Amino acid sequence: MDFDLLKSYKNKNVLVTGHTGFKGSWLTIWLLSLGANVIGYSLDPKRNEDNFVKANIKDKIVDIRGDIRNVDKLKKVFEIYKPEIVFHLAAQPLVRYSYANPKYTYDVNILGTVNILECIRECEETKIGIIITSDKCYKNNEWVWGYRENDRMGGYDPYSSSKSCAELIVSSYQNSFFNPEKFDKHGKVIASVRAGNVIGGGDWSEDRLIPDCIKALQKGKKITIRSPYSIRPWQHVLEPLSGYLLVGAKLASDGIQYADAWNFGPEYRNMINVLEIVEKVVNGWGSGSYSIENIKNNFHEAKLLSLDINKAKYYLQWYPRWGIDKTIEKIIEWYKNYENVDVYDMCIKQIEEYCEKN
């Protein structure tokens, strides 16, 4: 990833929805390091231990609290701050939560996407939109090969289907309002980006493997493993974020050539199962234990999911940089030190290390 991101984002007004969340907080820090003027629009952070809080991001940006479903408030943000670039991350991101709260999941993930696209459409100054969805937008047949960007959308559970719907909405807006063939008239470009299982420091979400491991290790309890042999496209949070930033930069420089859907995932050799991840976390932590429990679930969970990233490699010259061992090392570094160091500086150092040429 040798593309000069600094030229693309320095002094630009960039809106990040969901900036208080795990991925949103890391993206915000990275944008700040590139000299962007960041406007954040999100609900309150959920915990005092969140990366957003620990890194004291609120004092470094325009920090706005709002619900993505509130289109009137969202439109005012666009009217006042006139963002040139928008990264839309605000979402209900949890599969298990979506079973208990399907309507909320659909409202946030579908109508929230419509709202942001409407604001992009109506704001003259906004030229670029990057809509973050999920690898779970694909109809998952649990194939051993990865899904390509033109594979069928689907989604068994409410979360996954909501992300599939979001992708269809992005495609519709692209055809109807941001058609590349009519770029000279509207001057806007959008893209959707799909990442694998994103892990990293500062995530405390419920029902996620790394946070569950860390919480148990901190309390001296055994880690409970629910699906030990499920295989996922694990990747450090900086991997997909580098792809999102690169797509935004490419849209700014070459416009319509990159107004498309993009997968960002790990190399196949880093596709390992849950049990292997837990063992690496325990080894990295230096202590701890785990148990495998047959917890009977009342909902479906996929056992295998992978992404084909050849399109991003070929057209964007984007490649994963950190293998699974490096990923776990940087995750443990964050959780071991977040109470005793300047977390913002620690995040910046991890970003700088990630960007170093191999």
Side-chain angles (χ1 to χ4, degrees):
M1 191 186 66
D2 297 325
F3 197 86
D4 189 350
L5 295 179
L6 190 63
K7 290 181 181 178
S8 301
Y9 294 101
K10 189 173 183 179
N11 298 322
K12 296 287 179 63
N13 290 343
V14 181
L15 173 66
V16 178
T17 71
H19 70 294
T20 62
F22 165 50
K23 286 171 69 177
S25 65
W26 277 96
L27 178 60
T28 299
I29 292 170
W30 201 334
L31 284 166
L32 287 171
S33 75
L34 295 170
N37 305 316
V38 181
I39 305 102
Y41 183 92
S42 182
L43 299 175
D44 289 330
K46 293 186 176 180
R47 304 161 192 82
N48 291 328
E49 296 81 15
D50 284 353
N51 193 47
F52 177 84
V53 178
K54 286 297 182 180
N56 198 29
I57 295 173
K58 67 180 179 63
D59 294 333
K60 299 174 175 66
I61 65 171
V62 176
D63 181 32
I64 302 169
R65 294 289 180 268
D67 193 313
I68 198 67
R69 296 172 296 174
N70 187 341
V71 69
D72 292 333
K73 184 170 184 177
L74 195 58
K75 285 181 177 180
K76 288 180 182 178
V77 171
F78 275 77
E79 290 170 5
I80 294 170
Y81 297 101
K82 306 183 189 321
E84 300 163 70
I85 303 169
V86 176
F87 289 92
H88 175 51
L89 289 86
Q92 191 299 94
L94 302 174
V95 172
R96 287 163 67 89
Y97 184 91
S98 76
Y99 279 101
N101 301 275
K103 184 179 184 303
Y104 176 77
T105 299
Y106 286 122
D107 284 348
V108 172
N109 294 352
I110 297 176
L111 295 180
T113 300
V114 172
N115 289 345
I116 202 72
L117 289 169
E118 274 294 282
C119 290
I120 292 172
R121 184 172 73 89
E122 294 179 0
C123 182
E124 183 178 350
E125 290 80 7
T126 304
K127 303 300 182 184
I128 296 169
I130 299 96
I131 311 301
I132 287 77
T133 63
S134 170
D135 60 339
K136 295 177 180 62
C137 66
Y138 296 106
K139 178 175 173 54
N140 188 6
N141 297 303
E142 303 202 31
W143 292 325
V144 294
W145 54 86
Y147 291 95
R148 295 178 178 177
E149 287 84 349
N150 59 353
D151 277 331
R152 182 181 173 185
M153 296 290 102
Y156 185 102
D157 56 88
Y159 168 77
S160 301
S161 68
S162 74
K163 287 300 186 177
S164 176
C165 290
E167 285 285 353
L168 295 175
I169 290 165
V170 171
S171 178
S172 175
Y173 266 76
Q174 191 165 53
N175 291 330
S176 303
F177 308 112
F178 312 129
N179 196 304
E181 295 180 2
K182 299 178 181 178
F183 177 76
D184 290 341
K185 293 184 178 180
H186 56 72
K188 298 176 186 287
V189 281
I190 60 171
S192 67
V193 290
R194 307 156 184 176
N197 278 51
V198 179
I199 54 180
D203 184 10
W204 298 98
S205 300
E206 300 295 329
D207 295 320
R208 280 188 179 161
L209 182 60
I210 295 298
D212 287 350
C213 288
I214 298 300
K215 292 171 189 175
L217 291 169
Q218 287 178 334
K219 296 176 181 177
K221 295 182 177 180
K222 279 188 176 183
I223 300 166
T224 300
I225 302 177
R226 187 175 68 245
S227 302
Y229 304 111
S230 293
I231 297 173
R232 296 286 185 271
W234 312 102
Q235 58 186 152
H236 192 276
V237 62
L238 296 181
E239 299 278 21
L241 293 187
S242 71
Y244 303 169
L245 289 167
L246 184 55
V247 168
K250 291 288 190 179
L251 289 172
S253 65
D254 298 300
I256 60 176
Q257 295 183 51
Y258 300 95
D260 209 343
W262 302 93
N263 284 343
F264 297 102
E267 301 286 6
Y268 284 118
R269 63 180 175 272
N270 291 310
M271 291 277 296
I272 63 177
N273 65 41
V274 168
L275 179 58
E276 292 173 287
I277 287 283
V278 172
E279 289 174 341
K280 287 179 181 296
V281 170
V282 169
N283 289 336
W285 192 262
S287 63
S289 60
Y290 60 84
S291 62
I292 298 173
E293 296 187 11
N294 294 318
I295 301 174
K296 193 170 184 180
N297 292 323
N298 294 320
F299 54 85
H300 170 270
E301 265 191 305
K303 301 298 181 186
L304 175 64
L305 178 62
S306 64
L307 293 174
D308 186 311
I309 57 174
N310 284 309
K311 180 180 172 184
K313 287 181 175 180
Y314 184 82
Y315 290 106
L316 299 175
Q317 296 297 297
W318 176 91
Y319 300 89
R321 290 182 169 230
W322 284 354
I324 194 63
D325 290 329
K326 185 69 171 182
T327 293
I328 297 300
E329 174 193 326
K330 304 317 291 182
I331 289 172
I332 297 299
E333 178 182 80
W334 194 98
Y335 287 108
K336 282 275 191 178
N337 293 288
Y338 75 93
E339 291 182 300
N340 303 310
V341 302
D342 186 312
V343 170
Y344 185 85
D345 286 347
M346 180 167 61
C347 292
I348 289 291
K349 288 176 182 176
Q350 289 198 4
I351 291 169
E352 290 174 346
E353 184 176 348
Y354 177 83
C355 292
E356 289 175 358
K357 289 186 177 181
N358 297 330

